[in-house]
Amino acid sequence: MQIKRSAKKYLTYLSEHFPAVVLTGARQTGKSTLVKEFASEKGGISYVTLDYPVLRNLARTDPDLFLQQYKPPVIIDEIQYAPELLPYIKIKIDENRSNGMYYLTGSQMFRLMKDVSESLAGRVGIIQLYGFSRAEIVEVEESPFLPSNTLLPKSEETITSIFDKIYRGSMPLMVVDKNLTPEAFFGEYVQTYLERDIRELIEIKNERKFLQFLSCVAVRTGQELNLSDIAKDVGIDSKTVDNWLSLLVTSGIVFLLQPYSGNTIKRIVKRPKMYMMDTGLACYLGLWNNPRALEVSAVAGNFFETYVISEIVKTYTNNGIDVRSRFSYYRDNNGKEIDLIIEENNVLYPVEIKKSSNPGKDALKNFSVLPSLHKSIGKGCVICLSSFPIPLDADNIQLPVSVL
């Protein structure tokens, strides 16, 4: 089963405008596969991986010799294992600057992006890759989501089919191999993440507590971040929770949706909302082993919201757009909340997310706070489990989740 990655178009664009391209993201999101497919289509690009200890040692101890051996254009996989290469890559670029010389992949973004920004500033284009998006799976063109530019539904979805997808997640292997169980895949995934990434970045004295921390984050997906609550449940201090959470964010495992900020609005909450970017991993860590049980549980709405937010994020990152300054949510101390606000060209587009087949106009009630934000307001929407789009009023529309 071959699934075309939407990000390949952006990879091609970056290769034509930068000497180096970095593909980064969580483990098993398809970085190596994507860049190999790109190289195969383009031709003339060699490949080397630093997973091999001998090559890793050469890259670390004699980076100049390594780069003499593996000349551009070249893919260097798992570049985070030999950050010593980056200053020498800079020298090679500056000696013979041309675009598409080096393609670097890595999963330890916490370390990798710091090293890249120090060594290759102005010489590198960056792609953030997550698991498969819905658009990729159903093989349609993907564009950044806005309520005002949605096309007809890509495919019909029921609550059952959606929660089957939520339960399995979007990791390429889980999507392609229908017989692979989440227990088998994510059990190995978590252990590999601990052994190959976390232990190289920080010293964890108690692995059990870190696993407990991962589970506490997973069961809180779609909720407002409360460091002290997690610290209390795990039995660690809030500073440790903050440090560990930053690793999950920079690893691409967790996405923090920041609250809308306005200097003149004092009643707005200040804490971000936390989302696991792969719902299958969240289910595994939260000990959900049945999609039907999850579907009728008290946290079903949070998992549905997580699924929708992660899919919207992918429509932007797959097109090379950083969402951090564009996305926010609104919540005030009067209990009014808007799940997502997308800001584009100084216009706010409100999005509400409901695990319902027909939430109706009542879902728009909190949009009444938007005029107080003193920005132009664009078309809004309610994303839900309806079968087709339904106009709710002149400015807002009810959209099926299949538009993503």
Side-chain angles (χ1 to χ4, degrees):
M1 182 180 180
Q2 186 83 9
I3 295 179
K4 181 180 178 182
R5 298 307 302 254
S6 300
K8 188 183 291 183
K9 184 187 297 184
Y10 189 54
L11 172 57
T12 301
Y13 170 83
L14 291 180
S15 72
E16 295 170 349
H17 292 84
F18 289 94
V21 179
V22 170
L23 281 83
T24 187
R27 289 195 173 276
Q28 298 291 323
T29 52
K31 300 180 296 296
S32 299
T33 302
L34 171 58
V35 75
K36 284 180 180 179
E37 288 178 0
F38 169 82
S40 177
E41 293 173 6
K42 192 175 180 66
I45 302 175
S46 57
Y47 172 85
V48 59
T49 177
L50 299 183
D51 270 331
Y52 293 115
V54 173
L55 294 178
R56 186 188 314 170
N57 184 62
L58 175 61
R60 285 174 169 173
T61 58
D62 198 340
D64 188 46
L65 179 60
F66 180 92
L67 293 177
Q68 289 178 37
Q69 181 73 26
Y70 298 99
K71 299 180 184 297
V74 60
I75 299 165
I76 304 177
D77 208 354
E78 302 292 1
I79 186 69
Q80 76 275 2
Y81 291 138
E84 295 86 355
L85 282 173
L86 294 172
Y88 288 84
I89 289 175
K90 173 184 178 294
I91 293 170
K92 297 292 185 184
I93 288 173
D94 291 346
E95 285 176 350
N96 181 24
R97 187 163 183 139
S98 60
N99 294 326
M101 295 174 65
Y102 295 97
Y103 301 86
L104 315 175
T105 77
S107 54
Q108 287 182 4
M109 287 185 287
F110 189 83
R111 172 181 295 168
L112 176 60
M113 296 317 298
K114 177 179 181 292
D115 294 332
V116 166
S117 62
E118 289 176 353
S119 301
L120 299 179
R123 301 166 181 84
V124 63
I126 299 170
I127 297 177
Q128 168 82 49
L129 196 65
Y130 294 107
F132 285 142
S133 66
R134 271 183 48 82
E136 290 172 326
I137 294 170
V138 300
E139 299 181 319
V140 297
E141 192 73 20
E142 189 165 34
S143 59
F145 173 82
L146 277 180
S148 60
N149 69 359
T150 53
L151 303 174
L152 291 175
K154 296 181 172 70
S155 64
E156 290 190 10
E157 292 283 5
T158 64
I159 188 171
T160 298
S161 66
I162 283 293
F163 272 85
D164 284 342
K165 291 179 173 65
I166 288 172
Y167 174 64
R168 291 190 65 83
S170 63
M171 294 290 188
L173 195 56
M174 286 299 297
V175 173
V176 172
D177 187 351
K178 301 298 184 184
N179 295 319
L180 179 61
T181 66
E183 289 79 10
F185 176 80
F186 288 113
E188 190 275 337
Y189 184 92
V190 170
Q191 196 58 41
T192 300
Y193 178 63
L194 281 171
E195 291 179 351
R196 300 186 65 180
D197 289 342
I198 295 302
R199 287 198 182 115
E200 289 202 11
L201 294 172
I202 57 173
E203 180 184 356
I204 297 179
K205 297 179 181 178
N206 191 329
E207 183 177 299
R208 183 185 62 81
K209 283 194 178 295
F210 189 80
L211 288 169
Q212 189 177 351
F213 160 75
L214 289 176
S215 296
C216 283
V217 170
V219 299
R220 287 169 170 80
T221 188
Q223 299 180 27
E224 192 176 310
L225 174 61
N226 190 317
L227 296 176
S228 60
D229 277 0
I230 297 175
K232 182 179 178 182
D233 285 354
V234 180
I236 55 179
D237 58 72
S238 294
K239 184 178 179 181
T240 301
V241 172
D242 195 28
N243 290 338
W244 287 359
L245 184 64
S246 70
L247 293 177
L248 300 188
V249 172
T250 54
S251 297
I253 290 175
V254 166
F255 175 74
L256 294 181
L257 181 64
Q258 298 298 327
Y260 186 86
S261 60
N263 295 331
T264 61
I265 306 173
K266 304 300 183 184
R267 63 181 182 276
I268 294 179
V269 299
K270 303 298 183 185
R271 292 193 295 224
K273 289 181 74 173
M274 181 172 60
Y275 296 95
M276 296 283 288
M277 281 301 294
D278 189 87
T279 54
L281 179 59
C283 288
Y284 172 80
L285 291 170
L287 302 181
W288 292 100
N289 60 10
N290 185 305
R292 303 287 77 79
L294 177 63
E295 179 186 321
V296 298
S297 71
V299 296
N302 290 334
F303 273 78
F304 180 70
E305 182 179 327
T306 298
Y307 174 78
V308 172
I309 292 291
S310 67
E311 288 299 320
I312 293 176
V313 168
K314 290 173 198 172
T315 69
Y316 280 77
T317 56
N318 284 342
N319 283 277
I321 301 173
D322 190 344
V323 300
R324 288 175 295 181
S325 61
R326 286 177 165 84
F327 286 13
S328 62
Y329 81 100
Y330 178 95
R331 180 182 287 161
D332 60 30
N333 53 22
N334 294 321
K336 292 185 176 179
E337 180 177 352
I338 299 173
D339 292 325
L340 176 65
I341 296 175
I342 303 173
E343 184 165 359
E344 193 76 35
N345 298 319
N346 213 34
V347 177
L348 304 181
Y349 297 87
V351 178
E352 193 67 16
I353 303 166
K354 297 293 184 185
K355 187 186 73 72
S356 167
S357 60
N358 187 24
K361 286 188 176 182
D362 187 57
L364 305 175
K365 61 184 179 182
N366 292 335
F367 288 9
S368 61
V369 305
L370 291 168
S372 68
L373 304 184
H374 306 295
K375 291 281 185 74
S376 297
I377 309 302
K379 189 172 186 177
C381 72
V382 180
I383 297 178
C384 62
L385 291 164
S386 63
S387 299
F388 47 84
I390 302 172
L392 297 176
D393 57 30
D395 301 312
N396 302 285
I397 188 170
Q398 180 172 292
L399 294 172
V401 69
S402 56
V403 301
L404 296 174

